[in-house]
Amino acid sequence: MTPRGFPAFAPGRARRPRTWWGTAWNRAWEADALDAGPLRAGRRLAAAGHVGAITVSPGRLAAAVHDGDTEQAYATRVRVAPLADDDWDRLAGEVAARAGHQAALLAGQLPRDLAEASGVPLLPGLGEITPECDCPEWDHPCRHAAALCHQVSWLLDTDPALLLLIRGRDAHTLVPTGAAAPAPAATATGDGPTSSKRSTGAGTAAAEAYARALPPLPPAPEPVPGAPTLPLLPPGPDVDVDALRSAVAVAAGRAAALLHAHRGPDAAPVPTDRDPG
């Protein structure tokens, strides 16, 4: 599976995760901590923007984290125990049985009841998280690993299905082949490195669509009988006056026909000739 990269968060205020999955992730990794001090220090580093670009690969989180001096950044990694093959089989079976779960995963969401229905613990338990850092600290986790984990909770706020990759596989491996992608939703903005939601179903690659030749335009519509008489249009730069006049005539004729149909067959006819003066 291809690792995913996320740009660094800009400095800002100290923040807590806003969603259930982000909050649950923090509870899970903080439960393994031996001391609350590095957790608070890590939260300050995360808020100060001292965590570099984050790479998420199956069972592994990685980023360069510094204490304020970018020249002295530490290689920080957090390893997360992957789920067993049997667990993935149970998750896949649950997803295959429920179209709602398939649509949610294709849209980048992670249904909370997926873990409950399948009995698979998506969140890591005690002993399943192993922080690694080349800093000289001995804390478990050190403040650099804590900062990385804090920012991962922010990523899960906008992309909760990322938790599946953290646990070993991409979300799309759970969706049966041929499952329909959800209809595109309205754009949702946020303040993290990923600021919009998007449909991830199959489609045409952008490069292929861009390279396609444009089809010819359809023939111009025929004038509608009884269309109003239009005034002469003055010529202008880059304007095809005849084409514009034809389009206006067609639109006016259709509008007159719709009005006549709405008024009923016994109504007085709509005048079609107008004095251009």
Side-chain angles (χ1 to χ4, degrees), residues 59-82:
R60 184 177 180 271
L61 310 167
V65 186
H66 62 87
D67 295 311
D69 181 3
T70 57
E71 298 296 324
Q72 185 59 53
Y74 299 102
T76 304
R77 295 166 297 276
V78 175
R79 300 190 183 276
V80 182

PDB file of all heavy atoms in Angstrom, residues 59-82:
ATOM      1  N   GLY A  59       0.924   0.838   9.548  1.00  0.00           N
ATOM      2  CA  GLY A  59       1.533   0.558  10.839  1.00  0.00           C
ATOM      3  C   GLY A  59       2.633   1.511  11.253  1.00  0.00           C
ATOM      4  O   GLY A  59       3.353   1.224  12.220  1.00  0.00           O
ATOM      5  N   ARG A  60       2.749   2.668  10.608  1.00  0.00           N
ATOM      6  CA  ARG A  60       3.879   3.555  10.926  1.00  0.00           C
ATOM      7  C   ARG A  60       3.538   5.013  10.648  1.00  0.00           C
ATOM      8  O   ARG A  60       2.986   5.349   9.613  1.00  0.00           O
ATOM      9  CB  ARG A  60       5.099   3.145  10.098  1.00  0.00           C
ATOM     10  CG  ARG A  60       6.375   3.916  10.379  1.00  0.00           C
ATOM     11  CD  ARG A  60       7.490   3.338   9.531  1.00  0.00           C
ATOM     12  NE  ARG A  60       8.771   4.010   9.728  1.00  0.00           N
ATOM     13  CZ  ARG A  60       9.181   5.078   9.032  1.00  0.00           C
ATOM     14  NH1 ARG A  60       8.387   5.592   8.085  1.00  0.00           N
ATOM     15  NH2 ARG A  60      10.353   5.618   9.257  1.00  0.00           N
ATOM     16  N   LEU A  61       3.889   5.878  11.610  1.00  0.00           N
ATOM     17  CA  LEU A  61       3.781   7.329  11.480  1.00  0.00           C
ATOM     18  C   LEU A  61       5.181   7.899  11.576  1.00  0.00           C
ATOM     19  O   LEU A  61       5.992   7.438  12.382  1.00  0.00           O
ATOM     20  CB  LEU A  61       2.910   7.917  12.588  1.00  0.00           C
ATOM     21  CG  LEU A  61       1.539   7.264  12.811  1.00  0.00           C
ATOM     22  CD1 LEU A  61       0.938   7.736  14.132  1.00  0.00           C
ATOM     23  CD2 LEU A  61       0.619   7.584  11.649  1.00  0.00           C
ATOM     24  N   ALA A  62       5.484   8.918  10.782  1.00  0.00           N
ATOM     25  CA  ALA A  62       6.833   9.473  10.803  1.00  0.00           C
ATOM     26  C   ALA A  62       6.793  10.959  10.493  1.00  0.00           C
ATOM     27  O   ALA A  62       5.980  11.428   9.685  1.00  0.00           O
ATOM     28  CB  ALA A  62       7.736   8.763   9.784  1.00  0.00           C
ATOM     29  N   ALA A  63       7.681  11.713  11.159  1.00  0.00           N
ATOM     30  CA  ALA A  63       7.828  13.152  10.912  1.00  0.00           C
ATOM     31  C   ALA A  63       9.110  13.616  11.573  1.00  0.00           C
ATOM     32  O   ALA A  63       9.628  12.972  12.502  1.00  0.00           O
ATOM     33  CB  ALA A  63       6.633  13.932  11.455  1.00  0.00           C
ATOM     34  N   ALA A  64       9.624  14.730  11.102  1.00  0.00           N
ATOM     35  CA  ALA A  64      10.736  15.405  11.773  1.00  0.00           C
ATOM     36  C   ALA A  64      10.141  16.404  12.751  1.00  0.00           C
ATOM     37  O   ALA A  64       9.304  17.217  12.380  1.00  0.00           O
ATOM     38  CB  ALA A  64      11.626  16.111  10.757  1.00  0.00           C
ATOM     39  N   VAL A  65      10.583  16.339  14.016  1.00  0.00           N
ATOM     40  CA  VAL A  65      10.031  17.199  15.066  1.00  0.00           C
ATOM     41  C   VAL A  65      11.193  17.919  15.749  1.00  0.00           C
ATOM     42  O   VAL A  65      12.221  17.309  16.041  1.00  0.00           O
ATOM     43  CB  VAL A  65       9.232  16.376  16.106  1.00  0.00           C
ATOM     44  CG1 VAL A  65       8.543  17.301  17.098  1.00  0.00           C
ATOM     45  CG2 VAL A  65       8.201  15.480  15.398  1.00  0.00           C
ATOM     46  N   HIS A  66      11.027  19.218  15.978  1.00  0.00           N
ATOM     47  CA  HIS A  66      12.094  19.982  16.619  1.00  0.00           C
ATOM     48  C   HIS A  66      11.541  20.751  17.815  1.00  0.00           C
ATOM     49  O   HIS A  66      10.322  20.873  18.009  1.00  0.00           O
ATOM     50  CB  HIS A  66      12.754  20.940  15.619  1.00  0.00           C
ATOM     51  CG  HIS A  66      11.825  21.970  15.047  1.00  0.00           C
ATOM     52  ND1 HIS A  66      11.586  23.185  15.655  1.00  0.00           N
ATOM     53  CD2 HIS A  66      11.079  21.969  13.915  1.00  0.00           C
ATOM     54  CE1 HIS A  66      10.744  23.883  14.923  1.00  0.00           C
ATOM     55  NE2 HIS A  66      10.412  23.167  13.862  1.00  0.00           N
ATOM     56  N   ASP A  67      12.437  21.289  18.620  1.00  0.00           N
ATOM     57  CA  ASP A  67      12.060  22.033  19.823  1.00  0.00           C
ATOM     58  C   ASP A  67      12.088  23.547  19.612  1.00  0.00           C
ATOM     59  O   ASP A  67      12.033  24.302  20.573  1.00  0.00           O
ATOM     60  CB  ASP A  67      13.006  21.672  20.976  1.00  0.00           C
ATOM     61  CG  ASP A  67      12.875  20.222  21.394  1.00  0.00           C
ATOM     62  OD1 ASP A  67      11.734  19.765  21.595  1.00  0.00           O
ATOM     63  OD2 ASP A  67      13.916  19.546  21.508  1.00  0.00           O
ATOM     64  N   GLY A  68      12.176  23.987  18.377  1.00  0.00           N
ATOM     65  CA  GLY A  68      12.260  25.412  18.086  1.00  0.00           C
ATOM     66  C   GLY A  68      13.393  25.743  17.147  1.00  0.00           C
ATOM     67  O   GLY A  68      13.409  26.807  16.525  1.00  0.00           O
ATOM     68  N   ASP A  69      14.352  24.842  17.024  1.00  0.00           N
ATOM     69  CA  ASP A  69      15.480  25.015  16.118  1.00  0.00           C
ATOM     70  C   ASP A  69      15.324  24.005  14.983  1.00  0.00           C
ATOM     71  O   ASP A  69      15.525  22.805  15.170  1.00  0.00           O
ATOM     72  CB  ASP A  69      16.796  24.786  16.856  1.00  0.00           C
ATOM     73  CG  ASP A  69      18.016  24.967  15.961  1.00  0.00           C
ATOM     74  OD1 ASP A  69      17.842  25.335  14.780  1.00  0.00           O
ATOM     75  OD2 ASP A  69      19.142  24.735  16.436  1.00  0.00           O
ATOM     76  N   THR A  70      14.951  24.507  13.810  1.00  0.00           N
ATOM     77  CA  THR A  70      14.707  23.599  12.690  1.00  0.00           C
ATOM     78  C   THR A  70      15.961  22.857  12.253  1.00  0.00           C
ATOM     79  O   THR A  70      15.869  21.815  11.591  1.00  0.00           O
ATOM     80  CB  THR A  70      14.140  24.381  11.495  1.00  0.00           C
ATOM     81  OG1 THR A  70      15.039  25.439  11.141  1.00  0.00           O
ATOM     82  CG2 THR A  70      12.779  24.983  11.836  1.00  0.00           C
ATOM     83  N   GLU A  71      17.127  23.392  12.600  1.00  0.00           N
ATOM     84  CA  GLU A  71      18.369  22.708  12.243  1.00  0.00           C
ATOM     85  C   GLU A  71      18.622  21.494  13.135  1.00  0.00           C
ATOM     86  O   GLU A  71      19.485  20.677  12.847  1.00  0.00           O
ATOM     87  CB  GLU A  71      19.554  23.681  12.349  1.00  0.00           C
ATOM     88  CG  GLU A  71      19.460  24.873  11.406  1.00  0.00           C
ATOM     89  CD  GLU A  71      19.500  24.445   9.950  1.00  0.00           C
ATOM     90  OE1 GLU A  71      20.218  23.478   9.636  1.00  0.00           O
ATOM     91  OE2 GLU A  71      18.805  25.068   9.125  1.00  0.00           O
ATOM     92  N   GLN A  72      17.891  21.420  14.256  1.00  0.00           N
ATOM     93  CA  GLN A  72      18.066  20.312  15.185  1.00  0.00           C
ATOM     94  C   GLN A  72      16.748  19.554  15.301  1.00  0.00           C
ATOM     95  O   GLN A  72      16.117  19.493  16.360  1.00  0.00           O
ATOM     96  CB  GLN A  72      18.524  20.839  16.555  1.00  0.00           C
ATOM     97  CG  GLN A  72      18.847  19.755  17.582  1.00  0.00           C
ATOM     98  CD  GLN A  72      19.948  18.819  17.119  1.00  0.00           C
ATOM     99  OE1 GLN A  72      21.025  19.259  16.742  1.00  0.00           O
ATOM    100  NE2 GLN A  72      19.674  17.522  17.127  1.00  0.00           N
ATOM    101  N   ALA A  73      16.307  19.014  14.189  1.00  0.00           N
ATOM    102  CA  ALA A  73      15.064  18.244  14.186  1.00  0.00           C
ATOM    103  C   ALA A  73      15.378  16.772  14.423  1.00  0.00           C
ATOM    104  O   ALA A  73      16.433  16.274  14.007  1.00  0.00           O
ATOM    105  CB  ALA A  73      14.332  18.422  12.858  1.00  0.00           C
ATOM    106  N   TYR A  74      14.466  16.097  15.088  1.00  0.00           N
ATOM    107  CA  TYR A  74      14.662  14.683  15.419  1.00  0.00           C
ATOM    108  C   TYR A  74      13.779  13.815  14.521  1.00  0.00           C
ATOM    109  O   TYR A  74      12.637  14.168  14.197  1.00  0.00           O
ATOM    110  CB  TYR A  74      14.326  14.429  16.892  1.00  0.00           C
ATOM    111  CG  TYR A  74      15.189  15.216  17.844  1.00  0.00           C
ATOM    112  CD1 TYR A  74      14.709  16.362  18.472  1.00  0.00           C
ATOM    113  CD2 TYR A  74      16.506  14.814  18.105  1.00  0.00           C
ATOM    114  CE1 TYR A  74      15.508  17.099  19.343  1.00  0.00           C
ATOM    115  CE2 TYR A  74      17.308  15.539  18.973  1.00  0.00           C
ATOM    116  CZ  TYR A  74      16.808  16.681  19.577  1.00  0.00           C
ATOM    117  OH  TYR A  74      17.616  17.393  20.431  1.00  0.00           O
ATOM    118  N   ALA A  75      14.322  12.684  14.119  1.00  0.00           N
ATOM    119  CA  ALA A  75      13.555  11.715  13.332  1.00  0.00           C
ATOM    120  C   ALA A  75      12.640  10.946  14.280  1.00  0.00           C
ATOM    121  O   ALA A  75      13.106  10.137  15.090  1.00  0.00           O
ATOM    122  CB  ALA A  75      14.493  10.764  12.593  1.00  0.00           C
ATOM    123  N   THR A  76      11.367  11.237  14.195  1.00  0.00           N
ATOM    124  CA  THR A  76      10.396  10.676  15.134  1.00  0.00           C
ATOM    125  C   THR A  76       9.475   9.718  14.392  1.00  0.00           C
ATOM    126  O   THR A  76       8.955  10.038  13.325  1.00  0.00           O
ATOM    127  CB  THR A  76       9.564  11.802  15.772  1.00  0.00           C
ATOM    128  OG1 THR A  76      10.442  12.743  16.390  1.00  0.00           O
ATOM    129  CG2 THR A  76       8.612  11.243  16.813  1.00  0.00           C
ATOM    130  N   ARG A  77       9.277   8.549  14.971  1.00  0.00           N
ATOM    131  CA  ARG A  77       8.415   7.540  14.384  1.00  0.00           C
ATOM    132  C   ARG A  77       7.531   6.943  15.472  1.00  0.00           C
ATOM    133  O   ARG A  77       7.940   6.832  16.622  1.00  0.00           O
ATOM    134  CB  ARG A  77       9.235   6.423  13.714  1.00  0.00           C
ATOM    135  CG  ARG A  77      10.064   6.893  12.515  1.00  0.00           C
ATOM    136  CD  ARG A  77      11.083   5.862  12.105  1.00  0.00           C
ATOM    137  NE  ARG A  77      12.074   5.613  13.154  1.00  0.00           N
ATOM    138  CZ  ARG A  77      13.159   6.363  13.344  1.00  0.00           C
ATOM    139  NH1 ARG A  77      13.381   7.414  12.560  1.00  0.00           N
ATOM    140  NH2 ARG A  77      14.011   6.085  14.310  1.00  0.00           N
ATOM    141  N   VAL A  78       6.359   6.556  15.079  1.00  0.00           N
ATOM    142  CA  VAL A  78       5.448   5.857  15.984  1.00  0.00           C
ATOM    143  C   VAL A  78       4.947   4.631  15.235  1.00  0.00           C
ATOM    144  O   VAL A  78       4.325   4.751  14.176  1.00  0.00           O
ATOM    145  CB  VAL A  78       4.263   6.742  16.412  1.00  0.00           C
ATOM    146  CG1 VAL A  78       3.272   5.933  17.255  1.00  0.00           C
ATOM    147  CG2 VAL A  78       4.752   7.959  17.188  1.00  0.00           C
ATOM    148  N   ARG A  79       5.260   3.467  15.769  1.00  0.00           N
ATOM    149  CA  ARG A  79       4.814   2.223  15.147  1.00  0.00           C
ATOM    150  C   ARG A  79       3.538   1.741  15.836  1.00  0.00           C
ATOM    151  O   ARG A  79       3.429   1.767  17.070  1.00  0.00           O
ATOM    152  CB  ARG A  79       5.907   1.165  15.226  1.00  0.00           C
ATOM    153  CG  ARG A  79       7.204   1.593  14.516  1.00  0.00           C
ATOM    154  CD  ARG A  79       8.205   0.456  14.391  1.00  0.00           C
ATOM    155  NE  ARG A  79       9.437   0.935  13.770  1.00  0.00           N
ATOM    156  CZ  ARG A  79       9.619   1.035  12.457  1.00  0.00           C
ATOM    157  NH1 ARG A  79       8.631   0.680  11.637  1.00  0.00           N
ATOM    158  NH2 ARG A  79      10.766   1.474  11.955  1.00  0.00           N
ATOM    159  N   VAL A  80       2.588   1.311  15.012  1.00  0.00           N
ATOM    160  CA  VAL A  80       1.294   0.847  15.522  1.00  0.00           C
ATOM    161  C   VAL A  80       1.089  -0.580  15.032  1.00  0.00           C
ATOM    162  O   VAL A  80       1.248  -0.867  13.834  1.00  0.00           O
ATOM    163  CB  VAL A  80       0.143   1.750  15.031  1.00  0.00           C
ATOM    164  CG1 VAL A  80      -1.183   1.281  15.619  1.00  0.00           C
ATOM    165  CG2 VAL A  80       0.411   3.209  15.410  1.00  0.00           C
ATOM    166  N   ALA A  81       0.759  -1.475  15.945  1.00  0.00           N
ATOM    167  CA  ALA A  81       0.577  -2.884  15.577  1.00  0.00           C
ATOM    168  C   ALA A  81      -0.524  -3.021  14.544  1.00  0.00           C
ATOM    169  O   ALA A  81      -1.640  -2.519  14.741  1.00  0.00           O
ATOM    170  CB  ALA A  81       0.239  -3.698  16.823  1.00  0.00           C
ATOM    171  N   PRO A  82      -0.251  -3.673  13.422  1.00  0.00           N
ATOM    172  CA  PRO A  82      -1.297  -3.865  12.411  1.00  0.00           C
ATOM    173  C   PRO A  82      -2.313  -4.909  12.853  1.00  0.00           C
ATOM    174  O   PRO A  82      -2.015  -5.787  13.666  1.00  0.00           O
ATOM    175  CB  PRO A  82      -0.516  -4.338  11.175  1.00  0.00           C
ATOM    176  CG  PRO A  82       0.719  -4.984  11.738  1.00  0.00           C
ATOM    177  CD  PRO A  82       1.053  -4.226  12.996  1.00  0.00           C
TER     178      PRO A  82
END
